[in-house]
Amino acid sequence: MNETQKQSDLEKDRVHHAEGFLTTNQGVGVSNTDDSLKAGGRGPTLIEDFIFREKVTHFDHERIPERIVHARGSGAHGFFQVYKELSNLTKAHFLSDPELVTPVFVRFSTVAGSRGSADTVRDVRGFAVKFYTQEGNYDIVGNNMPIFFIQDAMKFPDLIHAVKPEPNNEMPQAASAHDTFWDFVSGMPETMHNVMWLMSPRALPRSFRMMEGFGIHTFRLVNAQGAFKFVKFHWKPLLGVHSLVWDEAQKISGKDPDFHRRDLWETIQSGTPAEYELGFQLLDPEDEFKFDFDILDPTKLWPEELVPVQKVGKMTLNRNVDNFFAETEQVAFCPANVVPGIDFTNDPLLQGRLFSYVDTQLSRLGGPNFHQIPINRPVVPVNNNQRDGIHRMTIDAGQTHYHPNTLNSNQPHSAHQGEPRFEHYQEKVEGNVIRERSASFRDHFSQPAMFWNSMSGHEKEHIVDAFRFELGKCQKVCIRQNVVNLLANVNADLAKAVGDGLGLNPEMKPLASPKPFASPALSMDNTAKSPKTSKTAIIVENGFDRAEYDAVTAAIIRAGGGFDIVSKKLGAVSAVDKSTIECGKTYATAVSVVYDAVFVPGGAHVDSLKLSGDVWHFIDEAYKHYKTIGLGGEASSLSPAERIKSAAQGDNAAAGIVICGGKAEPFADEFIAALTQDRHFQRGCVVMAVSA
Ligand code: HDE
């Protein structure tokens, strides 16, 4: 089944409600859905009103329990294709043929917040992909960070209890900046690597379309001959990895809590798909012990400089859901959903996950038949002796539902050799039954130190600020102190810088002296950059320069970006030459934080713009968030560079501010070049003196 076939499979269950008369759930026609049945116009409602009772009863039960983690999510449909056949690595059929189009459904999510929480909180993002393959469903249930907080699934309830709102007052919502989280962290040094990522810009994606995805655990690829390689899965966004800045993210949480959801929805709706390449890091079995970390430890990544990521295929998300609840809410992912050719390892976090997902879905989706919900249904037949249970959808005909049987000639039969069937990799296992952590899992600081060493100046500054913010929100000074002590094991300058902001010094001698290793691939400065799908706000009032406007808007469109026209009121705005354009946003409905750049054409309107506090604020805020600012003709007088520059910035104060020097076209090209650079961090960044 290809992508279109999956769509037509779902079509069977899609009801358009476009025409026809109202009915009850029993199909009985309803003439009035506005008034309950009463004894007299002013009399009591009658219990026999089955139409009222049915409508309200259904409404009373419209919500199902939200996910205990990853409650807030956004989904999209699409397809996956491999670049070349990979049968030397795996017998997985969907990876065997570049012609094969495998339908996928993806759900992106935050972890800690509840279903109605804001999108741009500081958090890990879920990146869960369901492949509807010819051999059954395969799920990569990953995150946007390549490592996890804990090493053993046994600690997951503790971690989540600590990060979720505190139990006595249910605060704060969707935030790790509180005592219980940092109390847990300070007692669990293994969290330090993921905590470093969480304090970095990676925790504030600019868009779901601009973040990486990782399967985290080490898996196995097994080929038809039974040979295997260890593998780590990566998703690499074609647009590169980009982030918000913290002040901006917090403001977006108020101005547009649906920022990421809207971004994904609107981009797909406009016909531009979200695209990611699937990458493999591969390791031969004989190299299992060649690193100074254990490949089964999920708090460790494989540096890309040591094990390069090989791009093997591409995923394209090109279709929004028809119904959020039916698809995004009811989809059930599970790391145990594998197909022949892909297998597990003994990573103790993965092993626990293999149990947890179906277990939670049993209560969230109300029983054992959630695989029959359209979004969860495989595109191949399901054929077994499982029967009955809550919400069984199929009518399973016939006398036998057991095996072996003679009454139905032993059908369905066990899959033969030659039929697609899952065969577990026969790993040799031996050892004493013991409740302990392997000694090879004990180094908790080398990789956090590597992450720190790999960051650029502004990324380091972001991390220090994030620690100061989060710990500053903790009430107990001893918790702040414990974390600062722990940070000294990662990097002395980091601990000192964080401590300075909190009025504390690291109190203990570091336990470890991590190696000065860096992995340049970890810095977002080395990512792909593109003006494609960027959004520019164009501020105009009556009397703007039409030639500059035309040149810049044409250049934005050529570059694959978009723009909104923002003014003090909606409707027509006239240029100097009396031509008009339609304005779609006002200073009340548009804010700089949801744009990548601002452009103000020159013209007489600048006199009026200067009288507006909203306009100054719009431009200054974009400046503070390192965004590109284009100022044509007279608008150059709106430049924030001279007004708000600090001594530390020096000549960098004007970075990313493009002023029109006369001709509109070169100005437009310069504007796009600056927009392509993404943020202009050199503008305000005071690079810390940090030793490796
Ligand atoms: Fe999950 N996780 N998780 N997790 N997880 C769930 O399953 C769990 C972990 C991830 O969009 C739950 O259906 C345990 C790592 C994503 O629907 C639950 C452990 C990674 C999603 C669960 C982990 C993830 C979930 C809640 C520690 C990245 C959202 C609702 C062993 C590799 C999927 C549900 C979606 C959801 C358990 C750790 C990713 C409770 C026990 C590591 C993307 O089953």
Side-chain angles (χ1 to χ4, degrees):
M1 182 169 302
N2 62 27
E3 195 217 352
T4 339
Q5 284 168 305
K6 176 66 193 171
Q7 223 170 316
S8 62
D9 172 58
L10 290 176
E11 183 67 41
K12 290 201 293 287
D13 298 280
R14 196 177 289 143
V15 183
H16 289 284
H17 302 290
E19 55 183 24
F21 59 85
L22 279 172
T23 74
T24 65
N25 288 336
Q26 305 304 318
V28 175
V30 173
S31 62
N32 176 342
T33 189
D34 304 325
D35 303 299
S36 58
L37 190 71
K38 300 178 199 75
R42 299 182 60 251
T45 300
L46 299 177
I47 197 128
E48 74 173 65
D49 187 356
F50 65 93
I51 297 178
F52 164 78
R53 277 190 286 113
E54 184 197 81
K55 183 173 175 181
V56 173
T57 305
H58 193 277
F59 167 77
D60 290 346
H61 299 272
E62 277 176 5
R63 290 291 172 274
I64 59 173
E66 66 175 35
R67 289 164 173 84
I68 170 72
V69 282
H70 298 266
R72 179 161 180 87
S74 305
H77 292 272
F79 59 92
F80 174 80
Q81 267 177 296
V82 80
Y83 290 144
K84 61 176 190 138
E85 65 99 19
L86 298 169
S87 56
N88 59 328
L89 290 174
T90 171
K91 60 185 168 190
H93 176 254
F94 80 106
L95 297 172
S96 69
D97 179 359
E99 298 289 304
L100 200 66
V101 179
T102 301
V104 299
F105 184 75
V106 175
R107 185 174 179 274
F108 302 110
S109 48
T110 52
V111 178
S114 58
R115 229 190 104 176
S117 57
D119 277 345
T120 59
V121 295
R122 180 178 292 285
D123 199 353
V124 176
R125 298 299 184 287
F127 192 130
V129 183
K130 188 180 286 296
F131 299 82
Y132 302 92
T133 88
Q134 300 290 325
E135 296 173 319
N137 288 351
Y138 170 51
D139 296 352
I140 299 183
V141 197
N143 281 346
N144 75 329
M145 299 181 187
I147 36 77
F148 201 62
F149 293 95
I150 47 168
Q151 296 174 320
D152 191 309
M154 190 77 156
K155 293 306 297 167
F156 194 63
D158 296 303
L159 166 72
I160 299 304
H161 285 173
V163 73
K164 281 269 182 181
E166 299 192 3
N168 47 349
N169 56 18
E170 222 197 16
M171 292 192 280
Q173 177 58 246
S176 50
H178 58 112
D179 285 57
T180 56
F181 177 69
W182 290 99
D183 190 23
F184 179 77
V185 164
S186 59
M188 294 285 297
E190 73 198 54
T191 57
M192 204 34 69
H193 193 188
N194 208 152
V195 163
M196 291 294 292
W197 282 74
L198 184 66
M199 294 302 106
S200 83
R202 298 276 186 150
L204 308 175
R206 157 70 182 81
S207 158
F208 291 138
R209 302 174 294 112
M210 300 173 199
M211 62 184 202
E212 290 182 298
F214 302 90
I216 297 191
H217 314 282
T218 301
F219 290 87
R220 263 176 237 271
L221 292 179
V222 188
N223 68 16
Q225 292 70 46
F228 85 87
K229 281 190 195 293
F230 292 112
V231 63
K232 292 254 194 211
F233 297 119
H234 294 245
W235 291 109
K236 300 266 185 195
L238 257 54
L239 290 174
V241 192
H242 302 280
S243 285
L244 301 168
V245 297
W246 181 223
D247 179 66
E248 180 189 24
Q250 290 177 89
K251 287 173 177 160
I252 296 174
S253 287
K255 295 286 186 184
D256 185 6
D258 303 311
F259 183 70
H260 285 148
R261 180 175 289 187
R262 189 184 313 286
D263 168 90
L264 185 67
W265 177 274
E266 286 183 351
T267 320
I268 291 178
Q269 212 64 6
S270 75
T272 309
E275 296 169 305
Y276 311 80
E277 288 183 298
L278 178 65
F280 289 168
Q281 277 181 303
L282 296 166
L283 194 67
D284 288 324
E286 50 276 22
D287 290 335
E288 179 172 355
F289 301 105
K290 89 170 188 189
F291 301 113
D292 55 4
F293 55 84
D294 193 327
I295 64 160
L296 299 184
D297 175 354
T299 65
K300 306 294 184 293
L301 55 83
W302 301 354
E304 289 187 30
E305 293 74 16
L306 302 184
V307 188
V309 177
Q310 303 174 29
K311 313 252 176 79
V312 298
K314 194 174 95 176
M315 176 168 76
T316 306
L317 302 181
N318 61 353
R319 187 161 63 85
N320 282 319
V321 296
D322 286 300
N323 184 283
F324 183 90
F325 180 85
E327 300 173 80
T328 310
E329 194 59 11
Q330 292 202 118
V331 68
F333 293 94
C334 180
N337 290 349
V338 286
V339 288
I342 298 174
D343 213 328
F344 316 117
T345 61
N346 296 337
D347 170 344
L349 193 70
L350 173 61
Q351 293 282 320
R353 293 181 73 204
L354 298 179
F355 162 75
S356 172
Y357 287 66
V358 168
D359 183 47
T360 199
Q361 283 146 11
L362 284 174
S363 57
R364 187 170 73 80
L365 297 167
N369 288 315
F370 60 84
H371 60 284
Q372 297 191 338
I373 296 172
I375 195 67
N376 295 324
R377 244 177 1 220
V379 295
V380 286
V382 172
N383 195 12
N384 59 40
N385 293 313
Q386 294 166 31
R387 295 289 185 273
D388 308 347
I390 292 171
H391 303 148
R392 187 72 179 176
M393 299 292 159
T394 48
I395 300 171
D396 302 293
Q399 189 184 5
T400 56
H401 51 5
Y402 53 89
H403 184 93
N405 67 65
T406 56
L407 295 175
N408 195 28
S409 314
N410 255 339
Q411 299 298 342
H413 63 270
S414 308
H416 304 307
Q417 186 97 46
E419 289 178 313
R421 59 179 190 176
F422 192 87
E423 285 163 305
H424 293 268
Y425 178 74
Q426 295 188 5
E427 186 182 9
K428 184 157 186 272
V429 179
E430 60 184 3
N432 298 330
V433 174
I434 195 158
R435 203 181 276 288
E436 70 166 29
R437 195 82 51 100
S438 167
S440 56
F441 280 35
R442 270 186 209 147
D443 169 13
H444 303 315
F445 299 114
S446 297
Q447 289 217 346
M450 173 181 75
F451 184 73
W452 173 256
N453 293 339
S454 312
M455 295 291 101
S456 62
H458 69 88
E459 287 168 322
K460 283 181 170 158
E461 206 180 337
H462 181 120
I463 292 171
V464 170
D465 287 347
F467 272 112
R468 287 177 174 178
F469 176 91
E470 298 264 320
L471 295 172
K473 290 269 187 173
C474 291
Q475 303 299 307
K476 294 271 187 316
V477 176
C478 61
I479 292 177
R480 298 178 190 158
Q481 182 68 59
N482 289 342
V483 177
V484 172
N485 292 347
L486 206 53
L487 285 177
N489 295 293
V490 176
N491 182 285
D493 294 332
L494 166 65
K496 191 168 171 326
V498 173
D500 274 353
L502 301 168
L504 300 170
N505 279 314
E507 268 175 356
M508 284 156 51
K509 268 184 97 62
L511 302 165
S513 48
K515 297 167 201 76
F517 186 71
S519 165
L522 298 177
S523 170
M524 287 169 47
D525 279 14
N526 301 325
T527 194
K529 291 179 177 168
S530 161
K532 225 178 142 195
T533 78
S534 62
K535 269 182 85 177
T536 298
I538 304 182
I539 301 180
V540 287
E541 288 187 11
N542 289 334
F544 66 91
D545 182 320
R546 183 76 204 216
E548 284 175 359
Y549 171 87
D550 284 346
V552 172
T553 50
I556 292 174
I557 291 167
R558 272 198 310 277
F563 59 87
D564 282 338
I565 298 165
V566 184
S567 192
K568 63 180 162 205
K569 54 185 186 182
L570 297 181
V573 188
S574 53
V576 181
D577 66 2
K578 300 290 176 239
S579 63
T580 59
I581 56 172
E582 252 339 89
C583 158
K585 301 266 182 193
T586 67
Y587 305 144
T589 60
V591 275
S592 81
V593 288
V594 302
Y595 293 97
D596 297 296
V598 191
F599 161 51
V600 188
H605 74 147
V606 172
D607 290 340
S608 165
L609 296 181
K610 280 183 168 168
L611 300 177
S612 165
D614 289 328
V615 171
W616 287 111
H617 180 258
F618 204 109
I619 297 171
D620 287 356
E621 196 173 48
Y623 181 77
K624 182 176 176 194
H625 298 149
Y626 313 102
K627 294 174 181 174
T628 296
I629 298 171
L631 301 171
E634 296 79 347
S636 63
S637 55
L638 293 168
S639 171
E642 284 308 312
R643 270 182 306 110
I644 53 181
K645 89 170 179 193
S646 72
Q649 286 174 280
D651 293 343
N652 287 331
I657 299 182
V658 184
I659 307 268
C660 183
K663 290 221 162 61
E665 273 72 24
F667 165 60
D669 292 343
E670 255 185 78
F671 178 77
I672 298 300
L675 184 61
T676 308
Q677 285 310 304
D678 196 11
R679 312 238 175 197
H680 306 277
F681 285 111
Q682 69 274 39
R683 199 182 271 167
C685 178
V686 184
V687 180
M688 291 166 44
V690 177
S691 62

